[in-house]
């Protein structure tokens, strides 16, 4: 049983009622996240707590217009903890007899993540945890995908199953904002969309190139009723293999407005048993939502065997364009055509996408926006991919580009 008595604490600058355009992220001023997370993560790596050294994994940007990223990660395939529940059901009760995060080692916990009471961000190197309090913690992922791969586990001792709720998602959104680094993204997989542990958690890591989905053109499809572009704006991805939604706050909207729109949409999907993945990008300013049915298709036996043989589960990172491959052959042969084919299997049909759009519109109190392209490119043309950009704070050997 995990007992957290004394652990570093990152107190976040929660300013939920400040307009998006004026919101200040605490870490942007004093670099709390950059100081504590990479350093603590590397400390655990030096202690041998990971199942393999992810910094030695080969990574390349696949030639093509999308710029899909391929990583060869044989250790994750061979040493990752197996899934202990049905992969095709979105809502399942918590089962304390199966693995959960109360069973992780004390030394895997990096720090607590808590809201402030004075609207200022703070980092405390070690503070006590009151008895009876269930803290939200950040812990290492012992089977990492990339540099700095961690888990945000809201109220870890409350035994919450893997389902979105308002408080936990707000914490994840502020976590992305507090780290204040465009190369640090936060992801979420629902049950039925390749979450492998039924205990509420978000994943996050650094990747020093843009995710392909971040560069995809979009078209505005929904806006907040009565607010137009001053409220939350929802766009549809264009020229991307997976149909998905992008949520952004307009001028005058608040962090709470953006969070509520995403949460209401996700709760609606959960209640309708529709699996989904979430990517929180641009330090929490853009949120991608991908409804999918791949696990259901797997269970029904209608997925191409060639794709099943790769043993790639298209979760949030793969859908966003970071292909974690488990076999040397797949890595060597990786092409844009291959990545597109794999991800297309995840995508909803246009008909089902429109059905889900209706659910989201109703749940988040949105209305049709008309045909407004954020990136005015023909829908059938894939935009050119800019060259890789390397983040200055990252060790240069964490990303091997061929």
């Amino acid at each position: 049983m995990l007992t957290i008595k004394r652990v570093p604490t990152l107190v976040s600058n929660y300013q939920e009622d400040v307009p998006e355009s004026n919101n200040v992220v605490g870490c942007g001023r004093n670099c709390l996240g950059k100081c504590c997370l990479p350093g603590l993560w590397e400390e655990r790596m030096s202690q041998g707590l990971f199942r393999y050294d992810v910094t030695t994994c080969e990574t390349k940007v696949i030639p093509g217009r999308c710029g899909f990223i391929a990583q060869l990660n044989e250790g994750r395939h061979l040493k990752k903890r197996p899934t202990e529940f049905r992969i095709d059901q979105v809502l399942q009760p918590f089962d304390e007899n199966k693995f959960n995060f109360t069973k992780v080692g004390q030394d895997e916990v990096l720090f607590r993540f808590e809201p402030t009471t004075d609207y200022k961000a703070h980092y405390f190197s070690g503070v006590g945890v009151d008895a009876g309090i269930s803290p939200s913690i950040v812990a290492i992922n012992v089977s990492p995908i990339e540099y700095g791969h961690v888990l945000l586990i809201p109220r870890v001792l409350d035994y919450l199953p893997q389902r979105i709720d308002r408080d936990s998602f707000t914490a994840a959104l502020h976590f992305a904002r507090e780290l204040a680094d465009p190369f640090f993204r936060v992801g979420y997989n629902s049950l039925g969309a390749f979450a492998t542990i039924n205990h509420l958690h978000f994943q996050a890591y650094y990747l020093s190139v843009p995710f392909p989905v971040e560069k995809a053109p979009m078209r505005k499809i929904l806006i907040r009723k009565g607010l137009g572009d001053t409220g939350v704006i929802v766009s549809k991805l264009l020229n991307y293999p997976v149909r998905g939604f992008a949520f952004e706050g307009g001028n005058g909207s608040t962090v709470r407005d953006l969070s509520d729109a995403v949460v209401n949409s996700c709760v609606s999907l959960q209640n309708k048993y529709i699996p989904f993945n979430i990517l929180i990008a641009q330090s929490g300013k853009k949120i991608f939502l991908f409804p999918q049915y791949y696990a259901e298709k797997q269970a029904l036996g209608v997925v191409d065997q060639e794709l099943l043989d790769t043993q790639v589960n298209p979760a949030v990172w793969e859908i966003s364009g970071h292909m974690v491959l488990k076999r040397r052959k797949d890595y060597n042969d990786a092409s844009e055509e291959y990545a597109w084919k794999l991800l297309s299997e995840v995508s909803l049909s246009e008909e089902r996408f429109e059905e889900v759009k209706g659910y989201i519109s109703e749940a988040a109190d949105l209305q049709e926006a008309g045909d407004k392209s954020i990136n005015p490119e023909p829908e059938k043309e894939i935009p050119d991919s800019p060259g890789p950009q390397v983040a200055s704070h990252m060790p240069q050997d964490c990303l091997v580009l061929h």
Side-chain angles (χ1 to χ4, degrees):
M1 174 68 179
L2 183 66
T3 55
I4 304 173
K5 295 182 179 179
R6 193 171 186 85
V7 66
T9 301
L10 176 60
V11 180
S12 175
N13 180 21
Y14 276 40
Q15 297 190 57
E16 297 172 356
D17 296 325
V18 177
E20 280 285 307
S21 58
N22 298 321
N23 190 54
V24 177
V25 179
C27 186
R29 292 182 174 180
N30 52 28
C31 298
L32 294 175
K34 292 182 181 180
C35 291
C36 68
L37 194 150
L40 293 172
W41 191 87
E42 290 184 7
E43 180 182 88
R44 300 314 195 272
M45 183 168 65
S46 69
Q47 294 171 0
L49 297 183
F50 296 99
R51 291 184 172 144
Y52 50 85
D53 183 358
V54 73
T55 65
T56 65
C57 292
E58 296 177 54
T59 300
K60 63 184 179 183
V61 175
I62 300 173
R65 290 188 171 186
C66 286
F68 291 115
I69 304 145
Q71 181 197 86
L72 177 62
N73 194 327
E74 296 169 299
R76 187 169 174 83
H77 167 51
L78 298 173
K79 299 178 181 180
K80 189 176 184 300
R81 183 178 289 107
T83 302
E84 297 181 304
F85 54 88
R86 287 192 59 171
I87 66 169
D88 59 338
Q89 289 187 354
V90 178
L91 297 178
Q92 300 180 46
F94 186 90
D95 186 345
E96 60 182 300
N97 295 316
K98 300 190 185 307
F99 176 81
N100 62 75
F101 296 116
T102 67
K103 299 179 182 181
V104 302
Q106 298 286 328
D107 47 3
E108 295 176 28
V109 178
L110 301 184
F111 53 84
R112 287 194 300 159
F113 183 70
E114 304 292 345
T116 185
T117 56
D118 60 5
Y119 296 98
K120 295 180 181 179
H122 306 278
Y123 179 75
F124 302 101
S125 59
V127 293
V129 178
D130 295 335
I133 297 296
S134 180
S136 296
I137 64 170
V138 174
I140 61 171
N141 187 328
V142 295
S143 298
I145 289 176
E146 259 299 344
Y147 177 85
H149 195 167
V150 294
L151 305 169
L152 170 64
I153 310 165
R155 293 162 30 216
V156 61
L157 302 179
D158 284 352
Y159 299 111
L160 302 173
Q162 185 74 345
R163 64 180 66 174
I164 290 290
D165 64 63
R166 182 163 280 98
D167 289 344
S168 63
F169 184 80
T170 299
L173 184 56
H174 281 283
F175 183 51
R177 287 170 171 264
E178 201 62 58
L179 269 290
D181 190 318
F183 294 107
F184 185 81
R185 291 84 164 187
V186 178
Y188 174 86
N189 300 312
S190 78
L191 300 183
F194 297 105
T196 56
I197 297 170
N198 187 20
H199 190 175
L200 183 58
H201 66 287
F202 298 81
Q203 301 185 51
Y205 61 70
Y206 293 95
L207 184 68
S208 57
V209 295
F211 274 87
V213 72
E214 295 175 308
K215 301 177 292 180
M218 302 182 298
R219 185 177 68 242
K220 293 180 187 178
I221 56 173
L222 298 170
I223 54 177
R224 187 68 182 271
K225 288 181 180 178
L227 296 179
D229 288 349
T230 63
V232 174
I233 299 167
V234 181
S235 301
K236 174 185 177 181
L237 294 173
L238 305 177
N239 308 327
Y240 198 71
V242 183
R243 292 182 176 89
F245 302 90
F247 290 71
E248 298 175 90
N251 292 330
S253 67
T254 66
V255 180
R256 170 62 75 176
D257 293 333
L258 180 59
S259 177
D260 283 351
V262 176
V263 169
N264 291 339
S265 300
C266 292
V267 170
S268 176
L269 297 186
Q270 286 173 168
N271 292 339
K272 291 176 171 59
Y273 304 102
I274 299 173
F276 59 88
N277 309 90
I278 299 172
L279 179 73
I280 302 176
Q282 296 183 12
S283 299
K285 296 187 182 301
K286 182 177 289 186
I287 302 166
F288 296 93
L289 173 61
F290 304 97
Q292 65 147 299
Y293 286 98
Y294 189 83
E296 179 183 318
K297 292 169 68 176
Q298 271 190 313
L300 294 173
V302 294
V303 177
D304 189 314
Q305 187 60 46
E306 181 183 354
L307 296 179
L308 291 176
D309 289 343
T310 67
Q311 301 181 59
V312 174
N313 293 329
V316 60
W317 308 119
E318 288 79 9
I319 290 174
S320 300
H322 188 197
M323 316 296 294
V324 182
L325 305 176
K326 302 168 184 178
R327 302 187 305 183
R328 166 65 66 176
K329 176 183 183 300
D330 297 327
Y331 179 80
N332 291 341
D333 297 342
S335 65
E336 184 167 279
E337 181 182 7
Y338 161 81
W340 193 282
K341 180 180 179 181
L342 174 63
L343 294 183
S344 294
E345 286 281 346
V346 179
S347 184
L348 301 183
S349 66
E350 185 64 35
E351 181 180 4
R352 292 189 95 171
F353 182 85
E354 287 298 316
E355 181 182 338
V356 171
K357 172 186 165 185
Y359 299 149
I360 288 174
S361 177
E362 180 180 2
D365 196 28
L366 303 169
Q367 65 184 23
E368 294 284 342
D371 189 7
K372 299 179 180 180
S373 294
I374 293 178
N375 295 21
E377 302 188 26
E379 189 156 345
K380 293 185 179 179
E381 181 180 341
I382 303 172
D384 288 332
S385 168
Q389 304 171 41
V390 179
S392 59
H393 71 280
M394 296 280 292
Q396 296 299 310
D397 59 356
C398 282
L399 184 68
V400 182
L401 299 177
H402 296 282

